[in-house]
Amino acid sequence: MRATVIHAPHDIRVQEVPDPAIQQPTDVVLRVLRACICGSDLWAYRGESARKSGQRIGHEFLGMVEEAGSGVNGFAVGDLVVAPFVWSDGTCAYCAEGLTTSCPQGGFWGSVGSDGGQGEAVRVPFADGTLVKLPAAAASDDRLLTALLALSDVLGTGHHAAVGAGVRPGSTVAVVGDGAVGLCGVMAAKRLGAERIIALGRHTARTDIARTFGATDVVAERGEAAVAAVRELLGGEGAQAVIEAVGTEQSMRTAVEITRDGGSIGYVGVPHGSGTGLDLGVMFDRNIALRGGVAPVRGYIPELLPDVLSGAIDPSPVFDLAIGLDDVPAGYKAMDERTALKVLIKP
């Protein structure tokens, strides 16, 4: 089969690799119908996250079950399923708590020795604990299929940030980051009942989506100017709940400074220097809470799936460029150069 392989920074190739096969009775082999490129993939693309030459890449996908191991009980050949970005056994104490990303037997797609999502097929370990079945009819609905793909990562990650930030009905929320996760954070905050949502972002095409998703205000400034603008909007105080969806020193510093005393920050931006933006003395003095981390999206899919199926929420607009598998290297370039927000792959 063909799959996306990273060889070095800025060297992404689509090449022939061995077909996936059942290795354990709990495996399935899944034919990928939709995949995408994540903003976190760009850290590897830019050489800021180490990868071995020849390693697979990509962790967001959905597709059809083509083969199921003898120990798989919940799925059969032909089932349409979505895969969260981490596989998990579904039986350990962490999985029972909903913290599937801490499953001792779990792992990330594209890690050494595993298939990546940006290919024609994937071997899925622990299928019963990992995959979630989707309605078969969705396979023929292109918009819905694209919206359902967001359940594999960005929608659940935005929801995790909103939960970590303590968003509740009537909340005032600020969202730092106008990427796909930040935009899904806006959507999640709206879904959880936020009354006012301030989106921080400089790109009009993205902030237009933020407004569609529920943002009531947009702040285009950065740094201290952004802090001043948010506080001016809120009568000199910060937001009760802040979503940090970038992971840099500046984004975390901004998040802390725009949080109201007694408020909370939900952080899901993959950390790249963000720790240096934290001043525990400031957070201590102002009673600011910090919660978040890698999102256990498998635990959120059952809650979010009905709203996607009903159309109550539609994250599909975050995918603004659709390509075939052969064009994945160009898709990485487009996201790296910020000419695309999030690239959809149709193998």
Side-chain angles (χ1 to χ4, degrees):
M1 71 167 188
R2 293 180 303 149
T4 305
V5 178
I6 184 166
H7 288 271
H10 300 280
D11 185 1
I12 294 280
R13 308 177 198 171
V14 177
Q15 59 190 62
E16 294 289 326
V17 300
D19 290 338
I22 300 294
Q23 297 179 16
Q24 300 293 333
T26 52
D27 292 350
V28 304
V29 172
L30 183 152
R31 177 169 54 89
V32 177
L33 295 182
R34 294 289 184 276
C36 55
I37 300 172
C38 182
S40 66
D41 291 331
L42 296 180
W43 297 118
Y45 180 73
R46 294 165 180 160
E48 297 181 46
S49 294
R51 294 291 189 276
K52 290 188 176 181
S53 179
Q55 193 171 334
R56 307 285 180 84
I57 195 166
H59 55 261
E60 300 165 279
F61 59 96
L62 57 74
M64 292 276 193
V65 174
E66 288 216 320
E67 186 179 358
S70 60
V72 174
N73 298 311
F75 302 97
V77 173
D79 283 345
L80 180 67
V81 295
V82 62
F85 65 85
V86 172
W87 72 77
S88 52
D89 62 20
T91 61
C92 72
Y94 285 114
C95 287
E97 295 170 14
L99 194 61
T100 51
T101 49
S102 291
C103 176
Q105 296 196 86
F108 290 78
W109 310 112
S111 55
V112 175
S114 73
D115 294 322
Q118 296 164 11
E120 292 182 312
V122 175
R123 180 183 73 88
V124 178
F126 301 109
D128 285 331
T130 300
L131 299 174
V132 177
K133 191 178 296 187
L134 303 173
S140 59
D141 185 332
D142 189 65
R143 184 211 58 78
L144 178 57
L145 205 59
T146 300
L148 291 167
L149 176 62
L151 290 166
S152 65
D153 185 348
V154 287
L155 182 58
T157 298
H159 178 74
H160 187 55
V163 171
V167 177
R168 56 184 55 87
S171 294
T172 296
V173 182
V175 180
V176 181
D178 61 1
V181 170
L183 295 175
C184 286
V186 170
M187 175 174 283
K190 177 70 173 178
R191 179 180 174 274
L192 292 173
E195 184 174 303
R196 191 170 191 183
I197 304 171
I198 302 169
L200 282 69
R202 296 178 295 160
H203 302 82
T204 303
R206 299 182 179 201
T207 54
D208 285 348
I209 296 173
R211 289 189 185 277
T212 300
F213 284 1
T216 55
D217 304 270
V218 168
V219 167
E221 291 85 357
R222 298 185 72 185
E224 291 304 316
V227 173
V230 171
R231 288 188 171 273
E232 183 178 356
L233 284 171
L234 299 178
E237 296 186 344
Q240 297 163 318
V242 174
I243 289 172
E244 192 286 313
V246 183
T248 63
E249 176 183 357
Q250 183 183 54
S251 64
M252 186 60 80
R253 194 178 302 279
T254 297
V256 171
E257 292 180 353
I258 63 175
T259 304
R260 184 181 186 275
D261 287 16
S264 300
I265 300 168
Y267 74 106
V268 292
V270 178
H272 282 78
S274 58
T276 54
L278 288 172
D279 186 330
L280 291 182
V282 169
M283 297 178 69
F284 181 87
D285 290 343
R286 297 177 52 211
N287 281 282
I288 293 174
L290 180 67
R291 295 189 295 268
V294 59
V297 300
R298 175 60 181 83
Y300 294 135
I301 292 175
E303 176 184 349
L304 298 170
L305 176 58
D307 282 358
V308 176
L309 292 174
S310 71
I313 56 174
D314 178 14
S316 64
V318 302
F319 299 97
D320 61 342
L321 176 63
I323 61 172
L325 191 57
D326 289 337
D327 293 324
V328 167
Y332 271 84
K333 187 171 186 292
M335 284 185 61
D336 184 44
E337 296 175 350
R338 297 182 72 88
T339 58
L341 167 59
K342 190 167 181 67
V343 174
L344 175 71
I345 303 166
K346 300 180 177 181

